[in-house]
Amino acid sequence: MAASWKTRYIFCFLGMLLLLPGAETPALAQPGNPTVPLPRVTVGVETARTPQDLTITLQLIFLMTILSLAPAFLILLTSFTRIVIVFHFIRQALGTQQIPPNQVLVGLALFLTFFIMAPTWERVHDNALRPYLDGQISQQEAYQKALQPIREFLFKHTREKDLALFVRLSQGQKPLNADDISMLALIPAFAISELRIAFQIGFIIYIPFLIIDMVVGSVLMSMGMLMLPPMMISLPFKILLFVLVDGWYLLVNSLVNSF
């Protein structure tokens, strides 16, 4: 106990010495010390002196806005929604609770999304991003050319009935062709189309596992084992069925081919 108090007094005394006005700065913190270079990070706001400074500031604000909306773009403008919902359906159908974990399912869904969306993103890079960075096209032209492949992907996987719903709800003029449909109507239409397809796939996935649960429940009831949970008996059979049919291969193959 006494040693502990002595240690505290020593540290307090050293701290007071460092805070004295005449105390010397340690060698590592001296500005003229060339042996140990220490980085200095500064963040500040200064007055824009040229139009180029204002342009850079606006581009930085635009980039920060895009990064903050990136999760929403990833979910609503790609195949991620369908994949991750189907993965959660298969886990619920198996009845394995948290196996595979959410991190595994979301990570696999992300990489499958990158794989599926690669051709679309390559077109965006080749037709819009690279020419804009090379100074060949303006920012407005780059935006229009980048939007074209994305709109083609969304139109390809959006049900016409869902698209008509949001066009009607927008209460605007009736579009003459696909180019007249705004992204404000196209994006939610694509989202509910993906939800519909994901739930259809989930229903089909549930059928064989539901049959196993019904058979096991009927057998246990006929044997008078009412107190034994059917899930304890059916879970190994469902896992065995899923492994024997190579379930992950079939599931991933079907999801990728659905796009």
Side-chain angles (χ1 to χ4, degrees), residues 39-182:
R40 183 180 66 177
V41 179
T42 59
V43 178
V45 179
E46 299 179 358
T47 305
R49 301 181 182 277
T50 61
Q52 289 77 11
D53 294 340
L54 180 60
T55 303
I56 294 175
T57 303
L58 294 177
Q59 290 178 352
L60 181 60
I61 295 174
F62 178 75
L63 179 61
M64 294 176 63
T65 304
I66 293 297
L67 291 177
S68 63
L69 297 177
F73 290 153
L74 178 64
I75 294 174
L76 296 179
L77 298 179
T78 63
S79 58
F80 179 81
T81 301
R82 183 189 305 185
I83 296 172
V84 74
I85 290 177
V86 171
F87 282 168
H88 281 279
F89 266 121
I90 190 64
R91 188 174 67 180
Q92 293 295 327
L94 285 170
T96 54
Q97 301 300 325
Q98 297 298 322
I99 303 297
N102 288 331
Q103 294 85 348
V104 175
L105 294 181
V106 173
L108 180 57
L110 280 174
F111 278 100
L112 287 177
T113 301
F114 296 152
F115 180 80
I116 293 171
M117 299 299 299
T120 302
W121 290 342
E122 286 178 359
R123 291 180 56 192
V124 172
H125 177 267
D126 296 338
N127 299 336
L129 183 59
R130 180 182 295 176
Y132 173 70
L133 295 178
D134 294 339
Q136 300 176 0
I137 58 177
S138 63
Q139 185 175 358
Q140 184 65 24
E141 292 175 339
Y143 173 76
Q144 295 296 333
K145 290 187 177 182
L147 209 59
Q148 188 62 31
I150 298 176
R151 287 176 62 90
E152 291 179 3
F153 176 82
L154 297 181
F155 275 115
K156 182 179 179 181
H157 301 286
T158 303
R159 193 172 59 160
E160 184 177 353
K161 181 179 180 181
D162 298 330
L163 188 59
L165 170 65
F166 284 95
V167 171
R168 184 176 70 254
L169 292 177
S170 63
Q171 298 180 353
Q173 295 182 354
K174 185 176 180 181
L176 300 179
N177 49 41
D179 296 334
D180 295 337
I181 299 176
S182 66

Side-chain angles (χ1 to χ4, degrees), residues 207-217 234-235 237-238 241:
I207 292 177
F209 301 110
L210 181 61
I211 293 175
I212 294 177
D213 287 333
M214 294 175 62
V215 171
V216 171
S234 63
L235 180 59
F237 289 101
K238 291 191 289 187
L241 173 65

Side-chain angles (χ1 to χ4, degrees), residues 216-226 228:
V216 171
S218 300
V219 172
L220 293 178
M221 186 176 297
S222 63
M223 295 174 62
M225 304 173 66
L226 301 179
L228 181 63

Side-chain angles (χ1 to χ4, degrees), residues 193-208:
S193 296
E194 288 294 287
L195 290 174
R196 170 180 169 272
I197 296 175
F199 274 75
Q200 288 179 344
I201 298 175
F203 172 76
I204 297 174
I205 290 174
Y206 252 99
I207 292 177

